[in-house]
Each structure stands twice: as C-alpha cells, then as structure tokens.
PDB file of all heavy atoms in Angstrom:
ATOM      1  N   VAL D 235      -0.096   0.005   7.279  1.00  0.00           N
ATOM      2  CA  VAL D 235      -1.105  -0.969   6.855  1.00  0.00           C
ATOM      3  C   VAL D 235      -0.679  -1.564   5.572  1.00  0.00           C
ATOM      4  O   VAL D 235      -0.077  -1.000   4.713  1.00  0.00           O
ATOM      5  CB  VAL D 235      -2.461  -0.206   6.674  1.00  0.00           C
ATOM      6  CG1 VAL D 235      -3.549  -1.165   6.048  1.00  0.00           C
ATOM      7  CG2 VAL D 235      -2.953   0.421   7.892  1.00  0.00           C
ATOM      8  N   VAL D 236      -0.923  -2.916   5.455  1.00  0.00           N
ATOM      9  CA  VAL D 236      -0.745  -3.725   4.214  1.00  0.00           C
ATOM     10  C   VAL D 236      -2.159  -4.205   3.817  1.00  0.00           C
ATOM     11  O   VAL D 236      -2.827  -4.849   4.607  1.00  0.00           O
ATOM     12  CB  VAL D 236       0.131  -4.922   4.433  1.00  0.00           C
ATOM     13  CG1 VAL D 236       0.229  -5.706   3.177  1.00  0.00           C
ATOM     14  CG2 VAL D 236       1.521  -4.390   4.793  1.00  0.00           C
ATOM     15  N   ALA D 237      -2.547  -3.816   2.636  1.00  0.00           N
ATOM     16  CA  ALA D 237      -3.880  -4.301   2.087  1.00  0.00           C
ATOM     17  C   ALA D 237      -3.534  -5.138   0.946  1.00  0.00           C
ATOM     18  O   ALA D 237      -3.107  -4.790  -0.094  1.00  0.00           O
ATOM     19  CB  ALA D 237      -4.762  -3.158   1.674  1.00  0.00           C
ATOM     20  N   ARG D 238      -3.904  -6.430   1.015  1.00  0.00           N
ATOM     21  CA  ARG D 238      -3.709  -7.431   0.015  1.00  0.00           C
ATOM     22  C   ARG D 238      -4.846  -7.392  -0.881  1.00  0.00           C
ATOM     23  O   ARG D 238      -5.897  -7.991  -0.678  1.00  0.00           O
ATOM     24  CB  ARG D 238      -3.390  -8.812   0.643  1.00  0.00           C
ATOM     25  CG  ARG D 238      -2.928  -9.798  -0.411  1.00  0.00           C
ATOM     26  CD  ARG D 238      -1.415  -9.863  -0.546  1.00  0.00           C
ATOM     27  NE  ARG D 238      -0.952 -10.781  -1.428  1.00  0.00           N
ATOM     28  CZ  ARG D 238      -0.434 -12.142  -0.949  1.00  0.00           C
ATOM     29  NH1 ARG D 238      -0.395 -12.332   0.283  1.00  0.00           N
ATOM     30  NH2 ARG D 238       0.069 -12.890  -1.841  1.00  0.00           N
ATOM     31  N   MET D 239      -4.840  -6.784  -1.989  1.00  0.00           N
ATOM     32  CA  MET D 239      -5.920  -6.594  -2.882  1.00  0.00           C
ATOM     33  C   MET D 239      -6.362  -7.931  -3.560  1.00  0.00           C
ATOM     34  O   MET D 239      -7.501  -8.316  -3.665  1.00  0.00           O
ATOM     35  CB  MET D 239      -5.620  -5.465  -3.990  1.00  0.00           C
ATOM     36  CG  MET D 239      -5.200  -4.181  -3.429  1.00  0.00           C
ATOM     37  SD  MET D 239      -6.224  -3.546  -2.079  1.00  0.00           S
ATOM     38  CE  MET D 239      -7.619  -3.057  -2.998  1.00  0.00           C
ATOM     39  N   GLN D 240      -5.305  -8.553  -4.132  1.00  0.00           N
ATOM     40  CA  GLN D 240      -5.470  -9.882  -4.797  1.00  0.00           C
ATOM     41  C   GLN D 240      -4.229 -10.647  -4.399  1.00  0.00           C
ATOM     42  O   GLN D 240      -3.255 -10.041  -3.772  1.00  0.00           O
ATOM     43  CB  GLN D 240      -5.521  -9.696  -6.261  1.00  0.00           C
ATOM     44  CG  GLN D 240      -6.474  -8.765  -6.800  1.00  0.00           C
ATOM     45  CD  GLN D 240      -6.233  -8.484  -8.259  1.00  0.00           C
ATOM     46  OE1 GLN D 240      -5.544  -9.109  -8.997  1.00  0.00           O
ATOM     47  NE2 GLN D 240      -6.801  -7.379  -8.768  1.00  0.00           N
ATOM     48  N   ALA D 241      -4.145 -11.828  -4.840  1.00  0.00           N
ATOM     49  CA  ALA D 241      -2.883 -12.710  -4.517  1.00  0.00           C
ATOM     50  C   ALA D 241      -1.672 -11.996  -4.979  1.00  0.00           C
ATOM     51  O   ALA D 241      -0.584 -12.036  -4.352  1.00  0.00           O
ATOM     52  CB  ALA D 241      -3.008 -14.072  -5.006  1.00  0.00           C
ATOM     53  N   GLY D 242      -1.745 -11.387  -6.250  1.00  0.00           N
ATOM     54  CA  GLY D 242      -0.578 -10.760  -6.848  1.00  0.00           C
ATOM     55  C   GLY D 242      -0.453  -9.295  -6.749  1.00  0.00           C
ATOM     56  O   GLY D 242       0.240  -8.616  -7.554  1.00  0.00           O
ATOM     57  N   HIS D 243      -1.211  -8.668  -5.795  1.00  0.00           N
ATOM     58  CA  HIS D 243      -1.371  -7.160  -5.715  1.00  0.00           C
ATOM     59  C   HIS D 243      -1.482  -6.777  -4.242  1.00  0.00           C
ATOM     60  O   HIS D 243      -2.521  -7.287  -3.701  1.00  0.00           O
ATOM     61  CB  HIS D 243      -2.292  -6.648  -6.639  1.00  0.00           C
ATOM     62  CG  HIS D 243      -2.294  -5.129  -6.811  1.00  0.00           C
ATOM     63  ND1 HIS D 243      -3.351  -4.399  -7.161  1.00  0.00           N
ATOM     64  CD2 HIS D 243      -1.384  -4.239  -6.385  1.00  0.00           C
ATOM     65  CE1 HIS D 243      -3.084  -3.100  -7.126  1.00  0.00           C
ATOM     66  NE2 HIS D 243      -1.837  -3.010  -6.691  1.00  0.00           N
ATOM     67  N   ALA D 244      -0.696  -5.952  -3.748  1.00  0.00           N
ATOM     68  CA  ALA D 244      -0.884  -5.428  -2.351  1.00  0.00           C
ATOM     69  C   ALA D 244      -0.631  -3.924  -2.316  1.00  0.00           C
ATOM     70  O   ALA D 244       0.199  -3.356  -3.179  1.00  0.00           O
ATOM     71  CB  ALA D 244       0.067  -6.170  -1.426  1.00  0.00           C
ATOM     72  N   LEU D 245      -1.145  -3.254  -1.458  1.00  0.00           N
ATOM     73  CA  LEU D 245      -0.915  -1.757  -1.151  1.00  0.00           C
ATOM     74  C   LEU D 245      -0.191  -1.790   0.212  1.00  0.00           C
ATOM     75  O   LEU D 245      -0.688  -2.401   1.090  1.00  0.00           O
ATOM     76  CB  LEU D 245      -2.233  -1.025  -1.082  1.00  0.00           C
ATOM     77  CG  LEU D 245      -3.122  -1.023  -2.324  1.00  0.00           C
ATOM     78  CD1 LEU D 245      -4.363  -0.235  -2.066  1.00  0.00           C
ATOM     79  CD2 LEU D 245      -2.337  -0.402  -3.530  1.00  0.00           C
ATOM     80  N   VAL D 246       0.930  -1.014   0.240  1.00  0.00           N
ATOM     81  CA  VAL D 246       1.702  -0.893   1.392  1.00  0.00           C
ATOM     82  C   VAL D 246       1.582   0.570   1.830  1.00  0.00           C
ATOM     83  O   VAL D 246       1.951   1.505   1.032  1.00  0.00           O
ATOM     84  CB  VAL D 246       3.177  -1.255   1.220  1.00  0.00           C
ATOM     85  CG1 VAL D 246       3.923  -1.129   2.469  1.00  0.00           C
ATOM     86  CG2 VAL D 246       3.202  -2.758   0.800  1.00  0.00           C
ATOM     87  N   MET D 247       1.105   0.876   3.010  1.00  0.00           N
ATOM     88  CA  MET D 247       0.796   2.271   3.456  1.00  0.00           C
ATOM     89  C   MET D 247       1.539   2.642   4.710  1.00  0.00           C
ATOM     90  O   MET D 247       0.910   2.578   5.823  1.00  0.00           O
ATOM     91  CB  MET D 247      -0.698   2.427   3.561  1.00  0.00           C
ATOM     92  CG  MET D 247      -1.410   2.234   2.355  1.00  0.00           C
ATOM     93  SD  MET D 247      -3.224   2.045   2.318  1.00  0.00           S
ATOM     94  CE  MET D 247      -3.358   0.250   2.536  1.00  0.00           C
ATOM     95  N   PRO D 248       2.760   3.156   4.595  1.00  0.00           N
ATOM     96  CA  PRO D 248       3.460   3.770   5.692  1.00  0.00           C
ATOM     97  C   PRO D 248       3.123   5.201   5.838  1.00  0.00           C
ATOM     98  O   PRO D 248       2.346   5.735   5.071  1.00  0.00           O
ATOM     99  CB  PRO D 248       4.924   3.523   5.348  1.00  0.00           C
ATOM    100  CG  PRO D 248       4.987   3.740   3.919  1.00  0.00           C
ATOM    101  CD  PRO D 248       3.561   3.131   3.426  1.00  0.00           C
ATOM    102  N   HIS D 249       3.783   5.913   6.824  1.00  0.00           N
ATOM    103  CA  HIS D 249       3.621   7.377   6.835  1.00  0.00           C
ATOM    104  C   HIS D 249       4.302   7.914   5.577  1.00  0.00           C
ATOM    105  O   HIS D 249       5.133   7.345   4.949  1.00  0.00           O
ATOM    106  CB  HIS D 249       4.339   7.826   8.120  1.00  0.00           C
ATOM    107  CG  HIS D 249       3.498   7.397   9.387  1.00  0.00           C
ATOM    108  ND1 HIS D 249       3.838   6.359  10.096  1.00  0.00           N
ATOM    109  CD2 HIS D 249       2.413   7.965   9.960  1.00  0.00           C
ATOM    110  CE1 HIS D 249       2.922   6.193  11.077  1.00  0.00           C
ATOM    111  NE2 HIS D 249       2.144   7.137  10.976  1.00  0.00           N
ATOM    112  N   GLY D 250       3.925   9.118   5.269  1.00  0.00           N
ATOM    113  CA  GLY D 250       4.257   9.722   3.980  1.00  0.00           C
ATOM    114  C   GLY D 250       5.488  10.627   3.915  1.00  0.00           C
ATOM    115  O   GLY D 250       5.653  11.445   2.973  1.00  0.00           O
ATOM    116  N   GLY D 251       6.341  10.588   4.903  1.00  0.00           N
ATOM    117  CA  GLY D 251       7.486  11.471   4.912  1.00  0.00           C
ATOM    118  C   GLY D 251       8.527  11.063   3.943  1.00  0.00           C
ATOM    119  O   GLY D 251       8.670   9.880   3.635  1.00  0.00           O
ATOM    120  N   PRO D 252       9.276  11.983   3.311  1.00  0.00           N
ATOM    121  CA  PRO D 252      10.232  11.685   2.237  1.00  0.00           C
ATOM    122  C   PRO D 252      11.298  10.603   2.741  1.00  0.00           C
ATOM    123  O   PRO D 252      11.610   9.740   2.004  1.00  0.00           O
ATOM    124  CB  PRO D 252      10.872  12.897   1.873  1.00  0.00           C
ATOM    125  CG  PRO D 252      10.142  13.986   2.549  1.00  0.00           C
ATOM    126  CD  PRO D 252       9.241  13.413   3.521  1.00  0.00           C
ATOM    127  N   ARG D 253      11.805  10.758   3.972  1.00  0.00           N
ATOM    128  CA  ARG D 253      12.850   9.910   4.462  1.00  0.00           C
ATOM    129  C   ARG D 253      12.173   8.441   4.668  1.00  0.00           C
ATOM    130  O   ARG D 253      12.970   7.489   4.305  1.00  0.00           O
ATOM    131  CB  ARG D 253      13.403  10.349   5.843  1.00  0.00           C
ATOM    132  CG  ARG D 253      14.503   9.508   6.369  1.00  0.00           C
ATOM    133  CD  ARG D 253      15.709   9.587   5.554  1.00  0.00           C
ATOM    134  NE  ARG D 253      16.768   8.848   6.181  1.00  0.00           N
ATOM    135  CZ  ARG D 253      17.549   7.994   5.569  1.00  0.00           C
ATOM    136  NH1 ARG D 253      17.382   7.756   4.177  1.00  0.00           N
ATOM    137  NH2 ARG D 253      18.408   7.263   6.100  1.00  0.00           N
ATOM    138  N   ILE D 254      11.015   8.325   5.153  1.00  0.00           N
ATOM    139  CA  ILE D 254      10.363   7.089   5.266  1.00  0.00           C
ATOM    140  C   ILE D 254      10.192   6.364   3.889  1.00  0.00           C
ATOM    141  O   ILE D 254      10.551   5.184   3.687  1.00  0.00           O
ATOM    142  CB  ILE D 254       9.029   7.035   6.011  1.00  0.00           C
ATOM    143  CG1 ILE D 254       9.331   7.382   7.509  1.00  0.00           C
ATOM    144  CG2 ILE D 254       8.321   5.897   5.812  1.00  0.00           C
ATOM    145  CD1 ILE D 254       8.026   7.719   8.287  1.00  0.00           C
ATOM    146  N   ARG D 255       9.801   7.126   2.856  1.00  0.00           N
ATOM    147  CA  ARG D 255       9.646   6.592   1.602  1.00  0.00           C
ATOM    148  C   ARG D 255      10.980   6.144   0.938  1.00  0.00           C
ATOM    149  O   ARG D 255      11.040   4.993   0.398  1.00  0.00           O
ATOM    150  CB  ARG D 255       9.081   7.604   0.670  1.00  0.00           C
ATOM    151  CG  ARG D 255       7.605   7.878   1.018  1.00  0.00           C
ATOM    152  CD  ARG D 255       6.927   8.939   0.186  1.00  0.00           C
ATOM    153  NE  ARG D 255       7.025   8.776  -1.134  1.00  0.00           N
ATOM    154  CZ  ARG D 255       5.973   9.054  -2.017  1.00  0.00           C
ATOM    155  NH1 ARG D 255       4.853   9.408  -1.583  1.00  0.00           N
ATOM    156  NH2 ARG D 255       6.141   8.796  -3.294  1.00  0.00           N
ATOM    157  N   THR D 256      12.020   6.878   1.223  1.00  0.00           N
ATOM    158  CA  THR D 256      13.277   6.456   0.673  1.00  0.00           C
ATOM    159  C   THR D 256      13.726   5.246   1.311  1.00  0.00           C
ATOM    160  O   THR D 256      14.220   4.267   0.706  1.00  0.00           O
ATOM    161  CB  THR D 256      14.405   7.639   0.926  1.00  0.00           C
ATOM    162  OG1 THR D 256      13.918   8.765   0.244  1.00  0.00           O
ATOM    163  CG2 THR D 256      15.736   7.177   0.619  1.00  0.00           C
ATOM    164  N   ARG D 257      13.562   5.072   2.643  1.00  0.00           N
ATOM    165  CA  ARG D 257      13.940   3.816   3.324  1.00  0.00           C
ATOM    166  C   ARG D 257      13.101   2.718   3.063  1.00  0.00           C
ATOM    167  O   ARG D 257      13.597   1.498   2.977  1.00  0.00           O
ATOM    168  CB  ARG D 257      13.902   4.171   4.939  1.00  0.00           C
ATOM    169  CG  ARG D 257      14.998   5.111   5.268  1.00  0.00           C
ATOM    170  CD  ARG D 257      15.061   5.452   6.771  1.00  0.00           C
ATOM    171  NE  ARG D 257      15.551   4.132   7.450  1.00  0.00           N
ATOM    172  CZ  ARG D 257      15.341   3.990   8.793  1.00  0.00           C
ATOM    173  NH1 ARG D 257      14.818   4.906   9.584  1.00  0.00           N
ATOM    174  NH2 ARG D 257      15.787   2.935   9.341  1.00  0.00           N
ATOM    175  N   MET D 258      11.799   2.878   2.730  1.00  0.00           N
ATOM    176  CA  MET D 258      10.897   1.877   2.304  1.00  0.00           C
ATOM    177  C   MET D 258      11.285   1.400   0.857  1.00  0.00           C
ATOM    178  O   MET D 258      11.347   0.165   0.607  1.00  0.00           O
ATOM    179  CB  MET D 258       9.470   2.281   2.269  1.00  0.00           C
ATOM    180  CG  MET D 258       8.780   2.505   3.595  1.00  0.00           C
ATOM    181  SD  MET D 258       8.710   0.935   4.573  1.00  0.00           S
ATOM    182  CE  MET D 258       7.464   0.082   3.650  1.00  0.00           C
ATOM    183  N   ASP D 259      11.761   2.324  -0.010  1.00  0.00           N
ATOM    184  CA  ASP D 259      12.277   1.907  -1.292  1.00  0.00           C
ATOM    185  C   ASP D 259      13.484   1.034  -1.132  1.00  0.00           C
ATOM    186  O   ASP D 259      13.590  -0.017  -1.877  1.00  0.00           O
ATOM    187  CB  ASP D 259      12.693   3.169  -2.113  1.00  0.00           C
ATOM    188  CG  ASP D 259      11.446   3.913  -2.658  1.00  0.00           C
ATOM    189  OD1 ASP D 259      10.389   3.356  -2.693  1.00  0.00           O
ATOM    190  OD2 ASP D 259      11.684   5.088  -3.040  1.00  0.00           O
ATOM    191  N   ALA D 260      14.383   1.359  -0.214  1.00  0.00           N
ATOM    192  CA  ALA D 260      15.588   0.546   0.046  1.00  0.00           C
ATOM    193  C   ALA D 260      15.156  -0.924   0.619  1.00  0.00           C
ATOM    194  O   ALA D 260      15.753  -1.881   0.095  1.00  0.00           O
ATOM    195  CB  ALA D 260      16.499   1.218   0.953  1.00  0.00           C
ATOM    196  N   LEU D 261      14.234  -0.955   1.417  1.00  0.00           N
ATOM    197  CA  LEU D 261      13.752  -2.235   1.967  1.00  0.00           C
ATOM    198  C   LEU D 261      13.167  -3.062   0.831  1.00  0.00           C
ATOM    199  O   LEU D 261      13.391  -4.255   0.761  1.00  0.00           O
ATOM    200  CB  LEU D 261      12.665  -2.030   3.067  1.00  0.00           C
ATOM    201  CG  LEU D 261      13.126  -1.679   4.529  1.00  0.00           C
ATOM    202  CD1 LEU D 261      11.899  -1.462   5.351  1.00  0.00           C
ATOM    203  CD2 LEU D 261      13.918  -2.880   5.053  1.00  0.00           C
ATOM    204  N   ALA D 262      12.294  -2.517   0.070  1.00  0.00           N
ATOM    205  CA  ALA D 262      11.668  -3.229  -1.013  1.00  0.00           C
ATOM    206  C   ALA D 262      12.732  -3.709  -1.960  1.00  0.00           C
ATOM    207  O   ALA D 262      12.579  -4.870  -2.515  1.00  0.00           O
ATOM    208  CB  ALA D 262      10.573  -2.320  -1.849  1.00  0.00           C
ATOM    209  N   ALA D 263      13.730  -2.915  -2.397  1.00  0.00           N
ATOM    210  CA  ALA D 263      14.755  -3.339  -3.252  1.00  0.00           C
ATOM    211  C   ALA D 263      15.551  -4.437  -2.676  1.00  0.00           C
ATOM    212  O   ALA D 263      15.920  -5.409  -3.390  1.00  0.00           O
ATOM    213  CB  ALA D 263      15.741  -2.140  -3.652  1.00  0.00           C
ATOM    214  N   ALA D 264      15.840  -4.370  -1.412  1.00  0.00           N
ATOM    215  CA  ALA D 264      16.667  -5.389  -0.705  1.00  0.00           C
ATOM    216  C   ALA D 264      15.843  -6.683  -0.703  1.00  0.00           C
ATOM    217  O   ALA D 264      16.406  -7.806  -0.655  1.00  0.00           O
ATOM    218  CB  ALA D 264      17.005  -4.920   0.691  1.00  0.00           C
ATOM    219  N   ALA D 265      14.521  -6.534  -0.670  1.00  0.00           N
ATOM    220  CA  ALA D 265      13.650  -7.812  -0.656  1.00  0.00           C
ATOM    221  C   ALA D 265      13.492  -8.349  -2.066  1.00  0.00           C
ATOM    222  O   ALA D 265      12.811  -9.340  -2.263  1.00  0.00           O
ATOM    223  CB  ALA D 265      12.249  -7.430  -0.051  1.00  0.00           C
ATOM    224  N   GLY D 266      14.056  -7.672  -3.070  1.00  0.00           N
ATOM    225  CA  GLY D 266      14.048  -8.226  -4.480  1.00  0.00           C
ATOM    226  C   GLY D 266      12.909  -7.581  -5.314  1.00  0.00           C
ATOM    227  O   GLY D 266      12.778  -8.012  -6.428  1.00  0.00           O
ATOM    228  N   ALA D 267      12.198  -6.507  -4.814  1.00  0.00           N
ATOM    229  CA  ALA D 267      11.248  -5.918  -5.676  1.00  0.00           C
ATOM    230  C   ALA D 267      11.906  -5.058  -6.730  1.00  0.00           C
ATOM    231  O   ALA D 267      12.841  -4.357  -6.495  1.00  0.00           O
ATOM    232  CB  ALA D 267      10.428  -5.058  -4.824  1.00  0.00           C
ATOM    233  N   LEU D 268      11.396  -5.042  -7.867  1.00  0.00           N
ATOM    234  CA  LEU D 268      11.849  -4.319  -8.987  1.00  0.00           C
ATOM    235  C   LEU D 268      11.193  -2.943  -8.990  1.00  0.00           C
ATOM    236  O   LEU D 268      10.013  -2.843  -8.624  1.00  0.00           O
ATOM    237  CB  LEU D 268      11.551  -4.979 -10.366  1.00  0.00           C
ATOM    238  CG  LEU D 268      12.137  -6.319 -10.456  1.00  0.00           C
ATOM    239  CD1 LEU D 268      11.604  -7.049 -11.675  1.00  0.00           C
ATOM    240  CD2 LEU D 268      13.712  -6.401 -10.516  1.00  0.00           C
TER     241      LEU D 268
END
C-alpha cells in the first residue's frame, strides 16, 4: 500500500520481512531517495 499523506509525504507499506526491506531500500536509493 502507498498512502499519500500530503503532496510531500507518503507512507510505503510492503510486507515486513528483512529481505524485502533491504530490496525496497535498494529500489528507493536507485530512484534517488536519500
């Protein structure tokens, strides 16, 4: 789930396994997120 709280703030809610979190971190970094 993606919840867009405000234009400049969103919550991203995948499953909570450690491997998924690591891969999501990599996706976010590749997308330019600091």
